[in-house]
Amino acid sequence: MSLKKILTKRLSASSILEVTTAMIIISMVFGLAIIIYLNIQRSGASSLRLSSRIKLEAVFSETNRLKKFESREVRFEDVIVYQEIEHNPEGLLSIKLEARDEQGKLIAEQKHLIYAP
């Protein structure tokens, strides 16, 4: 091929409409990726909340099994569980459990009402 044919050969190019459409599609994909990433980051806090609820259930089960109905504080490596007991005259016990982090921020809570004459 001669140089003249190479220089005069037309190349097909994209129109401004095609480029704009491609940019919009790429922007939407990046936007969805950011939303998914943020949801995954937020689920880390929900895993802490879930593990705290499991610890609250364990403390309540131990209290109920041992019939040790007194207010106390149970420390785990990342959570402190506070148990408050209120005695009612009818033989009902109100047990309130709170899971808090080291700074005192409430993570999860449970309330139970049991009959213990």
Side-chain angles (χ1 to χ4, degrees):
M1 246 181 167
S2 69
L3 185 59
K4 188 175 183 179
K5 283 185 180 181
I6 293 175
L7 292 176
T8 58
K9 184 179 177 188
R10 283 190 63 94
L11 296 174
S12 61
S14 301
S15 69
I16 190 79
L17 182 62
E18 292 170 335
V19 171
T20 306
T21 304
M23 286 176 49
I24 290 172
I25 291 171
I26 290 171
S27 298
M28 289 173 64
V29 168
F30 279 123
L32 286 173
I34 289 171
I35 290 171
I36 291 169
Y37 175 75
L38 291 176
N39 282 338
I40 290 172
Q41 290 290 56
R42 253 186 273 147
S43 70
S46 66
S47 67
L48 176 63
R49 197 173 306 124
L50 180 62
S51 69
S52 297
R53 286 182 181 158
I54 291 170
K55 290 171 185 169
L56 290 177
E57 281 295 327
V59 170
F60 174 70
S61 295
E62 178 186 355
T63 299
N64 203 14
R65 181 174 45 85
L66 298 175
K67 305 294 184 205
K68 191 175 183 182
F69 302 118
E70 58 188 33
S71 297
R72 64 184 176 140
E73 178 180 307
V74 180
R75 290 188 173 269
F76 294 96
E77 61 268 356
D78 56 346
V79 172
I80 303 169
V81 175
Y82 298 98
Q83 174 179 292
E84 294 178 19
I85 307 288
E86 290 182 21
H87 296 273
N88 294 331
E90 298 86 21
L92 293 175
L93 295 176
S94 173
I95 302 174
K96 181 180 178 184
L97 299 162
E98 292 182 343
R100 296 186 177 267
D101 61 5
E102 295 294 329
Q103 290 78 29
K105 182 180 175 189
L106 181 66
I107 300 170
E109 67 179 336
Q110 288 184 353
K111 294 179 182 177
H112 299 275
L113 188 64
I114 61 172
Y115 180 70

